[in-house]
Amino acid sequence: MLPNAEDALEEAVASGILRTDGHTIEFRHELIRLAVLDAVPAPRRLQVHRQVLAAMRSGAVASADLSLLADHAEAAGDETAVLEYAPAAAAHAVTLGAHREAAAQFTRALRYAGGLPPDRQAALWEGHSLTCFLARHLEEAIASRRTAVKLRHALGDRQNEGEDLRWLSYMLWPAGRSTEALDTGLEAVRTLEELSPSAELARAYLNLSMLSVYDHKGAEVAYAYAQRAMDVGGGLGDAGLVVQAQFHPAAARMLCEGSGWEECERAVSSAMAQDLQLDAGFMAMLMCWYLLLQGDNTRAAAAVQRSEAYCLEHELLTFLYCTKAMKSWMLLNEGAWHQATDATHEVLSHPLSPPIDRAIALTVLGLVRARCGEPQVWPPLEQAASLVDANCLRDMGLGWEARVEAAWLAGDDERAQAEAQQGLAALTERAHPWLTGALACWIHRAGGTPPPVPAVGPYALELNGDSTAAARLWEELGCPYNAAMARLSADDTALRQGLADLERLGSRPAAARARAVMRVRPVRSGPRAATRSNPYGLTNREMDVLKLLGDGLSDADIAARLYITPKTAGHHVGSVLAKLGVHTRHEAARKLDRPEYR
């Protein structure tokens, strides 16, 4: 573009503005290029961009130059050239895994797309939506996909409308809108079922299989949808469909029945081996979540490491930062409070973190504070609940259980039981024994009688009275805090070990409650061990209260002894009086002199 170019280039290289690498000459830094460009007067700048664009278009165009051509085209005010090169540059960036660059190029094209035919506009919105999703711009991705749905519907293009609805459903769940995600997924299937069998319909069935696992509908439902997906699309050469159709039913079995982990691992490994980046990154991230849902922290640690490495390598930022949220949960299970807090801050400090990532990180933050006896426990838990709908909070697994535990650690047994019962009610007709078992255990720890609900693993052992075995299993799973909590219901030796572990972990509130158990436990014997054998139907906690009534203690004193709130103590006292059929605390205390309590 310049006269005497060789002399000018030699001077620029000598001054350090440019550098040479073989036959390539480039600016030493992008900031220098921008500074030089800004120094060119506007009229001259427009002319230079037009000259450069013309020169670059005069010969063969290399793929690596597409983004530069799009940049010069926009700066030259050539809208036609922008619409030629920006989408092509975006497509090239996608092949390189540069999803942020691809999203930026689609954004550039859409600025000039108003005069394009509707089908071309829709294609640009679809490309923008997917690349924004992968680049972690979730709300932009959802908004663009909604626009594409409207354009396809107006065109009467039911095939692509159904495909856009499926993608919209897929994106709504991480945005915390699980109910809308399911409704949209069903609408996608209804739309596509009106047409001939297609790859789009197969993927729509697969989406419902995935959502059924999220919603804990059980292995049979997940398998039924996955089988429909394979029946329709199994012969179409979609390798990603095949591995995910294997993965989701196996994941449902893993969560419900304890089997299926090996099949899930084979599906993830197969996707990685076939370089199915989107499928592999997605399933690798889900494995972290599913392992944490069933308390398997040992396997989860390896899964988190694999997912972080893979998603970082392939710039799958949405899956990467969701994995980082899972990492904070994993560190919480390890009892690494400070590291867990640091991990939550990494997620929460990023403005693009999707609602589900923020909800997980906020829940972990609230639990760390609760377990360590720090203030401001409930604000992050309430904020987490406000970011996602109620179904999504339940599906997270950690969401409802955290609220129960926070109440228990604060000594509010009444609220702990109420939160647990609310969680169990939300899980009616759902197959999630890890969560129903956890909530039932918390009801038991809060002095209540848990309803008969599905429970597996250490929760089943604790509910069946074998807390020592439950604690050993928690240790094998890599969850020392859970092991210590299980020991609070075991024999005196295990209880002392649990107290020592809680003190070592720095969980002051739980340690205080363990000491409260130790203060009242020596008076227990025989029928007091279980509510069902108590002649008046008193729970263990109510028996603790009855004994303290026998010592003449007030509600405030009982609360202090049992590390519960005075309100909860008063609630227990009222329940004891009602069950014993007496009207005064003195009459209740006299019941302790009866033979069945000796």
Side-chain angles (χ1 to χ4, degrees), residues 419-543:
E419 291 278 1
Q421 293 288 4
Q422 186 180 359
L424 289 175
L427 285 162
T428 302
E429 299 180 0
R430 298 292 189 275
H432 193 349
W434 283 94
L435 184 51
T436 52
L439 295 175
C441 278
W442 280 112
I443 292 174
H444 173 70
R445 293 167 185 171
T449 303
V453 295
V456 293
Y459 295 125
L461 290 170
E462 183 174 344
L463 290 169
N464 288 329
D466 197 349
S467 297
T468 300
R472 285 197 299 267
L473 183 51
W474 278 124
E475 287 177 337
E476 292 173 10
L477 293 170
C479 301
Y481 175 84
N482 297 65
M485 293 300 297
R487 288 191 172 99
L488 300 191
S489 301
D491 59 31
D492 290 347
T493 301
L495 174 56
R496 285 192 291 271
Q497 183 182 343
L499 173 58
D501 290 341
L502 291 170
E503 290 176 334
R504 176 180 55 80
L505 290 167
S507 182
R508 295 188 299 273
R513 295 217 63 168
R515 293 190 196 94
V517 172
M518 293 178 72
R519 283 196 293 268
V520 298
R521 176 166 290 183
V523 304
R524 290 183 177 174
S525 63
R528 299 188 192 185
T531 302
R532 59 180 174 270
S533 61
N534 188 283
Y536 295 101
L538 299 181
T539 66
N540 288 340
R541 178 48 47 81
E542 288 165 351
M543 278 303 307

Side-chain angles (χ1 to χ4, degrees), residues 148 160 196 292 323 328 342 357 425 494 506 524 562:
N160 282 308
S196 300
L292 288 166
T323 301
S328 72
D342 291 343
D357 297 4
R524 290 183 177 174
L562 298 180

Side-chain angles (χ1 to χ4, degrees), residues 216-219 251-259 294 431-434 456:
H216 311 296
K217 293 289 182 62
R253 289 198 307 278
M254 183 171 67
L255 293 174
C256 299
E257 305 164 9
S259 62
Q294 57 180 338
H432 193 349
W434 283 94
V456 293

Side-chain angles (χ1 to χ4, degrees), residues 538 549 572-589:
L538 299 181
L549 286 175
H572 285 312
V573 169
S575 180
V576 168
L577 297 181
K579 288 183 178 182
L580 294 179
V582 298
H583 301 287
T584 68
R585 302 158 78 92
H586 180 67
E587 287 179 294

Side-chain angles (χ1 to χ4, degrees), residues 330-344:
M330 178 200 76
L331 291 166
L332 173 79
N333 288 347
E334 286 182 4
W337 314 131
H338 295 303
Q339 294 94 318
T341 300
D342 291 343
T344 65

Side-chain angles (χ1 to χ4, degrees), residues 23 61 66 208 298 414 464 469 564-565 587:
H23 294 289
V61 174
L66 289 169
L208 291 183
T298 303
E414 185 178 358
N464 288 329
I564 57 179
T565 64
E587 287 179 294

Side-chain angles (χ1 to χ4, degrees), residues 272-469:
M272 289 182 174
Q274 297 178 73
D275 198 29
L276 305 172
Q277 295 179 13
L278 183 58
D279 299 290
F282 176 54
M283 291 188 295
M285 177 272 293
L286 285 181
M287 278 299 286
C288 304
W289 179 33
Y290 293 156
L291 288 168
L292 288 166
L293 276 175
Q294 57 180 338
D296 195 340
N297 218 54
T298 303
R299 284 175 173 166
V304 165
Q305 184 178 12
R306 174 181 63 184
S307 181
E308 277 192 312
Y310 189 86
C311 294
L312 182 61
E313 178 185 356
H314 298 287
E315 202 180 308
L316 300 169
L317 300 185
T318 294
F319 303 149
L320 173 64
Y321 276 85
C322 190
T323 301
K324 289 183 180 294
M326 303 296 176
K327 185 176 183 178
S328 72
W329 185 352
M330 178 200 76
L331 291 166
L332 173 79
N333 288 347
E334 286 182 4
W337 314 131
H338 295 303
Q339 294 94 318
T341 300
D342 291 343
T344 65
H345 290 327
E346 185 176 2
V347 175
L348 296 173
S349 63
H350 201 293
L352 296 178
S353 292
I356 190 65
D357 297 4
R358 300 183 72 83
I360 292 171
L362 285 164
T363 301
V364 170
L365 181 60
L367 264 181
V368 168
R369 291 175 179 176
R371 291 180 181 182
C372 294
E374 298 174 357
Q376 296 296 304
V377 170
W378 282 95
L381 296 182
E382 296 294 0
Q383 187 180 352
S386 71
L387 288 172
V388 299
D389 63 30
N391 288 335
C392 201
L393 183 69
R394 175 203 68 207
D395 296 344
M396 278 169 50
L398 190 64
W400 234 301
E401 188 182 353
R403 299 174 66 85
V404 178
E405 183 181 344
W408 184 87
L409 289 169
D412 194 344
D413 286 350
E414 185 178 358
R415 180 171 185 177
Q417 291 192 49
E419 291 278 1
Q421 293 288 4
Q422 186 180 359
L424 289 175
L427 285 162
T428 302
E429 299 180 0
R430 298 292 189 275
H432 193 349
W434 283 94
L435 184 51
T436 52
L439 295 175
C441 278
W442 280 112
I443 292 174
H444 173 70
R445 293 167 185 171
T449 303
V453 295
V456 293
Y459 295 125
L461 290 170
E462 183 174 344
L463 290 169
N464 288 329
D466 197 349
S467 297
T468 300

